[in-house]
Amino acid sequence: MGGEFTVAFEQSGTYTIELSRWPFEADLAINAAVAGKEGTISTEAIAEGRTMNFKSGGVKIGAWEQTKAVEKDAKVISFTGNFTKGETDMSAWFTTDKGEDWGAFYIKVTRVSKEFSMID
């Protein structure tokens, strides 16, 4: 699995977790390559990014875990789950076509609704 860290939910509720290889504002596909740039007096050089072949991505928060396929030209993988206020362990990753796990590069967690009820 990918990088592991602690997440603190400030409120119980439903959250969306998004994974991306690139910064969200870059609007690039997860498996896309990116051209490099030479450095200048005022900016650092940017290394060329290679094409990847991630087939899936996953998130584990406490005992909750989900994985999803990386769709062709997808920019993010989104997951939705109900989480209780407090701290817990979290890991997020991408898996290549060869079964290698890489820590997710960028993660965005957004609360989409307030308290949830476990009683229907």
Side-chain angles (χ1 to χ4, degrees):
M1 281 190 207
E4 296 182 12
F5 46 94
T6 300
V7 64
F9 292 101
E10 292 184 358
Q11 299 175 23
S12 295
T14 302
Y15 287 80
T16 298
I17 298 97
E18 296 175 287
L19 308 183
S20 180
R21 177 179 174 205
W22 303 106
F24 293 97
E25 61 275 10
D27 201 35
L28 294 168
I30 291 169
N31 286 317
V34 70
K37 287 185 179 181
E38 287 189 32
T40 66
I41 293 174
S42 60
T43 62
E44 291 186 36
I46 298 173
E48 188 170 309
R50 65 182 179 168
T51 300
M52 295 298 292
N53 198 10
F54 292 122
K55 294 295 184 185
S56 64
V59 175
K60 185 175 192 298
I61 300 173
W64 180 91
E65 183 173 347
Q66 285 190 5
T67 59
K68 288 187 177 180
V70 173
E71 301 295 331
K72 183 176 175 11
D73 298 324
K75 297 172 184 171
V76 299
I77 301 176
S78 294
F79 303 87
T80 302
N82 294 321
F83 303 102
T84 304
K85 178 181 177 177
E87 288 187 1
T88 190
D89 293 329
M90 177 178 181
S91 57
W93 64 93
F94 289 109
T95 304
T96 67
D97 60 336
K98 295 179 181 170
E100 300 169 324
D101 288 337
W102 292 53
F105 300 82
Y106 294 88
I107 304 168
K108 186 188 312 181
V109 179
T110 308
R111 188 170 65 92
V112 294
S113 73
K114 295 183 180 185
E115 298 262 348
F116 61 92
S117 173
M118 297 299 285
I119 302 170
D120 289 318

PDB file of all heavy atoms in Angstrom, residues 43-68:
ATOM      1  N   THR A  43      13.478  30.596 -12.469  1.00  0.00           N
ATOM      2  CA  THR A  43      12.721  29.377 -12.185  1.00  0.00           C
ATOM      3  C   THR A  43      13.626  28.158 -12.236  1.00  0.00           C
ATOM      4  O   THR A  43      14.608  28.130 -12.980  1.00  0.00           O
ATOM      5  CB  THR A  43      11.564  29.168 -13.194  1.00  0.00           C
ATOM      6  OG1 THR A  43      12.112  29.029 -14.504  1.00  0.00           O
ATOM      7  CG2 THR A  43      10.571  30.305 -13.145  1.00  0.00           C
ATOM      8  N   GLU A  44      13.267  27.153 -11.470  1.00  0.00           N
ATOM      9  CA  GLU A  44      14.014  25.905 -11.474  1.00  0.00           C
ATOM     10  C   GLU A  44      13.584  25.042 -12.653  1.00  0.00           C
ATOM     11  O   GLU A  44      12.476  25.183 -13.166  1.00  0.00           O
ATOM     12  CB  GLU A  44      13.740  25.127 -10.182  1.00  0.00           C
ATOM     13  CG  GLU A  44      14.334  25.773  -8.954  1.00  0.00           C
ATOM     14  CD  GLU A  44      14.173  24.903  -7.732  1.00  0.00           C
ATOM     15  OE1 GLU A  44      14.262  23.671  -7.848  1.00  0.00           O
ATOM     16  OE2 GLU A  44      13.941  25.463  -6.655  1.00  0.00           O
ATOM     17  N   ALA A  45      14.454  24.154 -13.074  1.00  0.00           N
ATOM     18  CA  ALA A  45      14.112  23.202 -14.128  1.00  0.00           C
ATOM     19  C   ALA A  45      13.051  22.235 -13.595  1.00  0.00           C
ATOM     20  O   ALA A  45      12.986  21.952 -12.398  1.00  0.00           O
ATOM     21  CB  ALA A  45      15.355  22.434 -14.560  1.00  0.00           C
ATOM     22  N   ILE A  46      12.220  21.747 -14.502  1.00  0.00           N
ATOM     23  CA  ILE A  46      11.213  20.740 -14.157  1.00  0.00           C
ATOM     24  C   ILE A  46      11.553  19.488 -14.945  1.00  0.00           C
ATOM     25  O   ILE A  46      11.674  19.529 -16.176  1.00  0.00           O
ATOM     26  CB  ILE A  46       9.785  21.219 -14.507  1.00  0.00           C
ATOM     27  CG1 ILE A  46       9.439  22.476 -13.707  1.00  0.00           C
ATOM     28  CG2 ILE A  46       8.769  20.109 -14.264  1.00  0.00           C
ATOM     29  CD1 ILE A  46       8.132  23.118 -14.105  1.00  0.00           C
ATOM     30  N   ALA A  47      11.737  18.382 -14.250  1.00  0.00           N
ATOM     31  CA  ALA A  47      12.071  17.121 -14.913  1.00  0.00           C
ATOM     32  C   ALA A  47      10.869  16.640 -15.729  1.00  0.00           C
ATOM     33  O   ALA A  47       9.720  16.870 -15.369  1.00  0.00           O
ATOM     34  CB  ALA A  47      12.443  16.077 -13.871  1.00  0.00           C
ATOM     35  N   GLU A  48      11.172  15.961 -16.810  1.00  0.00           N
ATOM     36  CA  GLU A  48      10.111  15.404 -17.643  1.00  0.00           C
ATOM     37  C   GLU A  48       9.411  14.292 -16.874  1.00  0.00           C
ATOM     38  O   GLU A  48      10.056  13.450 -16.249  1.00  0.00           O
ATOM     39  CB  GLU A  48      10.718  14.848 -18.933  1.00  0.00           C
ATOM     40  CG  GLU A  48       9.689  14.420 -19.938  1.00  0.00           C
ATOM     41  CD  GLU A  48      10.329  14.109 -21.277  1.00  0.00           C
ATOM     42  OE1 GLU A  48      11.095  14.942 -21.783  1.00  0.00           O
ATOM     43  OE2 GLU A  48      10.046  13.015 -21.799  1.00  0.00           O
ATOM     44  N   GLY A  49       8.087  14.297 -16.902  1.00  0.00           N
ATOM     45  CA  GLY A  49       7.306  13.254 -16.229  1.00  0.00           C
ATOM     46  C   GLY A  49       7.020  12.127 -17.193  1.00  0.00           C
ATOM     47  O   GLY A  49       6.721  12.364 -18.355  1.00  0.00           O
ATOM     48  N   ARG A  50       7.151  10.911 -16.741  1.00  0.00           N
ATOM     49  CA  ARG A  50       6.944   9.773 -17.631  1.00  0.00           C
ATOM     50  C   ARG A  50       5.505   9.274 -17.589  1.00  0.00           C
ATOM     51  O   ARG A  50       4.794   9.484 -16.611  1.00  0.00           O
ATOM     52  CB  ARG A  50       7.903   8.651 -17.271  1.00  0.00           C
ATOM     53  CG  ARG A  50       7.647   8.073 -15.891  1.00  0.00           C
ATOM     54  CD  ARG A  50       8.647   6.998 -15.567  1.00  0.00           C
ATOM     55  NE  ARG A  50       8.361   6.494 -14.227  1.00  0.00           N
ATOM     56  CZ  ARG A  50       8.893   5.423 -13.727  1.00  0.00           C
ATOM     57  NH1 ARG A  50       9.741   4.716 -14.434  1.00  0.00           N
ATOM     58  NH2 ARG A  50       8.589   5.026 -12.518  1.00  0.00           N
ATOM     59  N   THR A  51       5.122   8.599 -18.644  1.00  0.00           N
ATOM     60  CA  THR A  51       3.813   7.955 -18.691  1.00  0.00           C
ATOM     61  C   THR A  51       3.819   6.807 -17.694  1.00  0.00           C
ATOM     62  O   THR A  51       4.801   6.082 -17.581  1.00  0.00           O
ATOM     63  CB  THR A  51       3.530   7.412 -20.101  1.00  0.00           C
ATOM     64  OG1 THR A  51       3.553   8.495 -21.014  1.00  0.00           O
ATOM     65  CG2 THR A  51       2.201   6.708 -20.166  1.00  0.00           C
ATOM     66  N   MET A  52       2.733   6.664 -16.955  1.00  0.00           N
ATOM     67  CA  MET A  52       2.596   5.545 -16.025  1.00  0.00           C
ATOM     68  C   MET A  52       1.456   4.658 -16.506  1.00  0.00           C
ATOM     69  O   MET A  52       0.666   5.056 -17.350  1.00  0.00           O
ATOM     70  CB  MET A  52       2.299   6.052 -14.610  1.00  0.00           C
ATOM     71  CG  MET A  52       3.432   6.853 -13.989  1.00  0.00           C
ATOM     72  SD  MET A  52       4.959   5.916 -13.781  1.00  0.00           S
ATOM     73  CE  MET A  52       4.496   4.738 -12.521  1.00  0.00           C
ATOM     74  N   ASN A  53       1.383   3.469 -15.937  1.00  0.00           N
ATOM     75  CA  ASN A  53       0.299   2.567 -16.296  1.00  0.00           C
ATOM     76  C   ASN A  53      -0.391   2.098 -15.011  1.00  0.00           C
ATOM     77  O   ASN A  53      -0.371   0.919 -14.674  1.00  0.00           O
ATOM     78  CB  ASN A  53       0.827   1.384 -17.116  1.00  0.00           C
ATOM     79  CG  ASN A  53      -0.295   0.691 -17.863  1.00  0.00           C
ATOM     80  OD1 ASN A  53      -1.418   1.183 -17.932  1.00  0.00           O
ATOM     81  ND2 ASN A  53      -0.002  -0.463 -18.422  1.00  0.00           N
ATOM     82  N   PHE A  54      -0.956   3.078 -14.285  1.00  0.00           N
ATOM     83  CA  PHE A  54      -1.711   2.741 -13.088  1.00  0.00           C
ATOM     84  C   PHE A  54      -3.052   2.148 -13.507  1.00  0.00           C
ATOM     85  O   PHE A  54      -3.764   2.715 -14.329  1.00  0.00           O
ATOM     86  CB  PHE A  54      -1.942   3.977 -12.212  1.00  0.00           C
ATOM     87  CG  PHE A  54      -0.674   4.518 -11.596  1.00  0.00           C
ATOM     88  CD1 PHE A  54      -0.282   5.824 -11.820  1.00  0.00           C
ATOM     89  CD2 PHE A  54       0.117   3.722 -10.791  1.00  0.00           C
ATOM     90  CE1 PHE A  54       0.876   6.336 -11.249  1.00  0.00           C
ATOM     91  CE2 PHE A  54       1.284   4.223 -10.215  1.00  0.00           C
ATOM     92  CZ  PHE A  54       1.666   5.529 -10.440  1.00  0.00           C
ATOM     93  N   LYS A  55      -3.375   1.001 -12.960  1.00  0.00           N
ATOM     94  CA  LYS A  55      -4.631   0.315 -13.279  1.00  0.00           C
ATOM     95  C   LYS A  55      -5.718   0.566 -12.242  1.00  0.00           C
ATOM     96  O   LYS A  55      -6.892   0.470 -12.537  1.00  0.00           O
ATOM     97  CB  LYS A  55      -4.392  -1.196 -13.410  1.00  0.00           C
ATOM     98  CG  LYS A  55      -3.516  -1.559 -14.576  1.00  0.00           C
ATOM     99  CD  LYS A  55      -4.195  -1.220 -15.883  1.00  0.00           C
ATOM    100  CE  LYS A  55      -3.368  -1.665 -17.068  1.00  0.00           C
ATOM    101  NZ  LYS A  55      -3.939  -1.260 -18.330  1.00  0.00           N
ATOM    102  N   SER A  56      -5.292   0.872 -11.000  1.00  0.00           N
ATOM    103  CA  SER A  56      -6.279   1.100  -9.948  1.00  0.00           C
ATOM    104  C   SER A  56      -5.692   2.019  -8.881  1.00  0.00           C
ATOM    105  O   SER A  56      -4.501   2.302  -8.872  1.00  0.00           O
ATOM    106  CB  SER A  56      -6.718  -0.223  -9.309  1.00  0.00           C
ATOM    107  OG  SER A  56      -5.632  -0.846  -8.651  1.00  0.00           O
ATOM    108  N   GLY A  57      -6.579   2.465  -8.001  1.00  0.00           N
ATOM    109  CA  GLY A  57      -6.179   3.270  -6.861  1.00  0.00           C
ATOM    110  C   GLY A  57      -7.024   2.863  -5.669  1.00  0.00           C
ATOM    111  O   GLY A  57      -8.113   2.313  -5.833  1.00  0.00           O
ATOM    112  N   GLY A  58      -6.518   3.126  -4.484  1.00  0.00           N
ATOM    113  CA  GLY A  58      -7.261   2.734  -3.299  1.00  0.00           C
ATOM    114  C   GLY A  58      -7.019   3.654  -2.126  1.00  0.00           C
ATOM    115  O   GLY A  58      -6.043   4.405  -2.091  1.00  0.00           O
ATOM    116  N   VAL A  59      -7.951   3.567  -1.176  1.00  0.00           N
ATOM    117  CA  VAL A  59      -7.884   4.340   0.058  1.00  0.00           C
ATOM    118  C   VAL A  59      -8.264   3.416   1.207  1.00  0.00           C
ATOM    119  O   VAL A  59      -9.207   2.626   1.093  1.00  0.00           O
ATOM    120  CB  VAL A  59      -8.871   5.537   0.035  1.00  0.00           C
ATOM    121  CG1 VAL A  59      -8.870   6.266   1.370  1.00  0.00           C
ATOM    122  CG2 VAL A  59      -8.543   6.496  -1.083  1.00  0.00           C
ATOM    123  N   LYS A  60      -7.527   3.523   2.309  1.00  0.00           N
ATOM    124  CA  LYS A  60      -7.878   2.807   3.540  1.00  0.00           C
ATOM    125  C   LYS A  60      -7.884   3.827   4.661  1.00  0.00           C
ATOM    126  O   LYS A  60      -6.901   4.528   4.886  1.00  0.00           O
ATOM    127  CB  LYS A  60      -6.859   1.707   3.828  1.00  0.00           C
ATOM    128  CG  LYS A  60      -7.222   0.849   5.028  1.00  0.00           C
ATOM    129  CD  LYS A  60      -6.237  -0.299   5.167  1.00  0.00           C
ATOM    130  CE  LYS A  60      -6.670  -1.356   6.136  1.00  0.00           C
ATOM    131  NZ  LYS A  60      -6.834  -0.996   7.494  1.00  0.00           N
ATOM    132  N   ILE A  61      -9.030   3.951   5.324  1.00  0.00           N
ATOM    133  CA  ILE A  61      -9.182   4.865   6.458  1.00  0.00           C
ATOM    134  C   ILE A  61      -9.742   4.038   7.605  1.00  0.00           C
ATOM    135  O   ILE A  61     -10.883   3.596   7.554  1.00  0.00           O
ATOM    136  CB  ILE A  61     -10.124   6.042   6.115  1.00  0.00           C
ATOM    137  CG1 ILE A  61      -9.555   6.840   4.931  1.00  0.00           C
ATOM    138  CG2 ILE A  61     -10.335   6.933   7.338  1.00  0.00           C
ATOM    139  CD1 ILE A  61     -10.470   7.917   4.408  1.00  0.00           C
ATOM    140  N   GLY A  62      -8.912   3.806   8.623  1.00  0.00           N
ATOM    141  CA  GLY A  62      -9.324   2.910   9.698  1.00  0.00           C
ATOM    142  C   GLY A  62      -9.591   1.533   9.106  1.00  0.00           C
ATOM    143  O   GLY A  62      -8.786   1.000   8.356  1.00  0.00           O
ATOM    144  N   ALA A  63     -10.768   0.963   9.397  1.00  0.00           N
ATOM    145  CA  ALA A  63     -11.144  -0.348   8.873  1.00  0.00           C
ATOM    146  C   ALA A  63     -11.799  -0.260   7.494  1.00  0.00           C
ATOM    147  O   ALA A  63     -11.987  -1.269   6.827  1.00  0.00           O
ATOM    148  CB  ALA A  63     -12.100  -1.041   9.851  1.00  0.00           C
ATOM    149  N   TRP A  64     -12.152   0.952   7.054  1.00  0.00           N
ATOM    150  CA  TRP A  64     -12.824   1.172   5.767  1.00  0.00           C
ATOM    151  C   TRP A  64     -11.798   1.161   4.636  1.00  0.00           C
ATOM    152  O   TRP A  64     -10.772   1.820   4.720  1.00  0.00           O
ATOM    153  CB  TRP A  64     -13.542   2.519   5.829  1.00  0.00           C
ATOM    154  CG  TRP A  64     -14.298   2.936   4.614  1.00  0.00           C
ATOM    155  CD1 TRP A  64     -15.607   2.683   4.337  1.00  0.00           C
ATOM    156  CD2 TRP A  64     -13.818   3.732   3.515  1.00  0.00           C
ATOM    157  NE1 TRP A  64     -15.965   3.255   3.141  1.00  0.00           N
ATOM    158  CE2 TRP A  64     -14.883   3.904   2.619  1.00  0.00           C
ATOM    159  CE3 TRP A  64     -12.582   4.296   3.210  1.00  0.00           C
ATOM    160  CZ2 TRP A  64     -14.749   4.623   1.437  1.00  0.00           C
ATOM    161  CZ3 TRP A  64     -12.443   5.014   2.031  1.00  0.00           C
ATOM    162  CH2 TRP A  64     -13.528   5.168   1.162  1.00  0.00           C
ATOM    163  N   GLU A  65     -12.066   0.401   3.572  1.00  0.00           N
ATOM    164  CA  GLU A  65     -11.133   0.337   2.450  1.00  0.00           C
ATOM    165  C   GLU A  65     -11.895   0.171   1.146  1.00  0.00           C
ATOM    166  O   GLU A  65     -12.861  -0.597   1.077  1.00  0.00           O
ATOM    167  CB  GLU A  65     -10.169  -0.836   2.629  1.00  0.00           C
ATOM    168  CG  GLU A  65      -9.122  -0.931   1.548  1.00  0.00           C
ATOM    169  CD  GLU A  65      -8.073  -1.993   1.820  1.00  0.00           C
ATOM    170  OE1 GLU A  65      -7.994  -2.500   2.960  1.00  0.00           O
ATOM    171  OE2 GLU A  65      -7.329  -2.314   0.883  1.00  0.00           O
ATOM    172  N   GLN A  66     -11.471   0.912   0.114  1.00  0.00           N
ATOM    173  CA  GLN A  66     -12.065   0.788  -1.217  1.00  0.00           C
ATOM    174  C   GLN A  66     -10.969   0.903  -2.266  1.00  0.00           C
ATOM    175  O   GLN A  66      -9.980   1.623  -2.064  1.00  0.00           O
ATOM    176  CB  GLN A  66     -13.098   1.884  -1.488  1.00  0.00           C
ATOM    177  CG  GLN A  66     -14.414   1.699  -0.790  1.00  0.00           C
ATOM    178  CD  GLN A  66     -15.472   2.690  -1.288  1.00  0.00           C
ATOM    179  OE1 GLN A  66     -15.263   3.460  -2.219  1.00  0.00           O
ATOM    180  NE2 GLN A  66     -16.622   2.661  -0.652  1.00  0.00           N
ATOM    181  N   THR A  67     -11.149   0.208  -3.371  1.00  0.00           N
ATOM    182  CA  THR A  67     -10.294   0.364  -4.536  1.00  0.00           C
ATOM    183  C   THR A  67     -11.178   0.551  -5.758  1.00  0.00           C
ATOM    184  O   THR A  67     -12.315   0.072  -5.783  1.00  0.00           O
ATOM    185  CB  THR A  67      -9.363  -0.845  -4.763  1.00  0.00           C
ATOM    186  OG1 THR A  67     -10.159  -2.012  -4.928  1.00  0.00           O
ATOM    187  CG2 THR A  67      -8.400  -1.034  -3.616  1.00  0.00           C
ATOM    188  N   LYS A  68     -10.644   1.266  -6.755  1.00  0.00           N
ATOM    189  CA  LYS A  68     -11.362   1.490  -8.011  1.00  0.00           C
ATOM    190  C   LYS A  68     -10.368   1.455  -9.159  1.00  0.00           C
ATOM    191  O   LYS A  68      -9.203   1.806  -9.000  1.00  0.00           O
ATOM    192  CB  LYS A  68     -12.067   2.855  -8.013  1.00  0.00           C
ATOM    193  CG  LYS A  68     -13.268   2.935  -7.122  1.00  0.00           C
ATOM    194  CD  LYS A  68     -13.984   4.256  -7.329  1.00  0.00           C
ATOM    195  CE  LYS A  68     -15.242   4.322  -6.482  1.00  0.00           C
ATOM    196  NZ  LYS A  68     -15.936   5.602  -6.674  1.00  0.00           N
TER     197      LYS A  68
END
